[in-house]
Amino acid sequence: MNRINIIKFTIAITLALFLNISAYAAEVPMYEKLGGKEAITVVVDDFVANIAGDTRINFQFANTDVPHVKAMLVDMMCMATGGPCEYKGRDMKSVHENMQVTNAQFNAVAECLYEALSKNGVPYSMQNQILAMLAPMQRDIVTK
């Protein structure tokens, strides 16, 4: 085999490997990339702690069954990211209908989630994907 053929062969093998790796990466659900339910639970724990410490929004959760909310959030995030969980809670509109949530409060909750994702090493691009999945809920949550 001459030098040009060896180079072409090497490029072809490298390209084939790259395409296979890329295809595999595209097939892996975000749920697995995040680290599964255990990692999502850690993010949710930090998320809820961030909310509890944020005076812009913590009053909205004063009479909340925190363990139940955490479980619902884990299931919601797990399902939204392609995991095996099933969210069985109420729809966002009925959950928030009497809370008079403002856009500023919704944004504060999004900040708390962003901080929890960052703290747990979730890559920026994946953070944006998660926030984009949750953004359509704003129209059902914001009532004021």
Side-chain angles (χ1 to χ4, degrees):
M1 203 183 261
N2 67 28
R3 182 175 166 84
I4 292 176
N5 286 339
I6 291 173
I7 292 171
K8 286 180 182 179
F9 179 76
T10 303
I11 290 171
I13 294 295
T14 302
L15 183 59
L17 287 171
F18 175 76
L19 291 174
N20 283 334
I21 291 169
S22 296
Y24 173 76
E27 291 175 13
V28 176
M30 187 182 304
Y31 170 79
E32 290 180 29
K33 291 177 186 176
L34 286 169
K37 190 170 183 177
E38 185 176 317
I40 289 171
T41 300
V42 172
V43 169
V44 168
D45 286 343
D46 289 337
F47 174 45
V48 172
N50 291 346
I51 289 171
D54 192 324
T55 57
R56 299 174 295 173
I57 52 177
N58 58 7
F59 65 92
Q60 289 283 23
F61 300 89
N63 298 315
T64 301
D65 178 354
V66 174
H68 174 74
V69 169
K70 282 184 179 182
M72 292 294 101
L73 289 170
V74 167
D75 285 345
M76 183 184 292
M77 187 177 287
C78 173
M79 187 173 90
T81 59
C85 306
E86 182 180 348
Y87 174 72
K88 295 180 182 178
R90 297 184 302 159
D91 64 277
M92 293 298 101
K93 191 170 191 105
S94 64
V95 169
H96 298 90
E97 68 186 342
N98 296 319
M99 293 177 69
Q100 297 190 9
V101 177
T102 65
N103 278 318
Q105 291 168 337
F106 183 88
N107 292 337
V109 170
E111 285 177 36
C112 289
L113 178 56
Y114 168 76
E115 290 167 2
L117 292 165
S118 293
K119 176 182 177 185
N120 287 284
V122 175
Y124 185 72
S125 62
M126 201 177 302
Q127 291 176 26
N128 286 337
Q129 290 172 345
I130 292 168
L131 291 170
M133 284 182 219
L134 302 175
M137 295 179 186
Q138 184 171 6
R139 67 178 166 262
D140 291 333
I141 293 172
V142 173
T143 58
K144 187 174 177 184

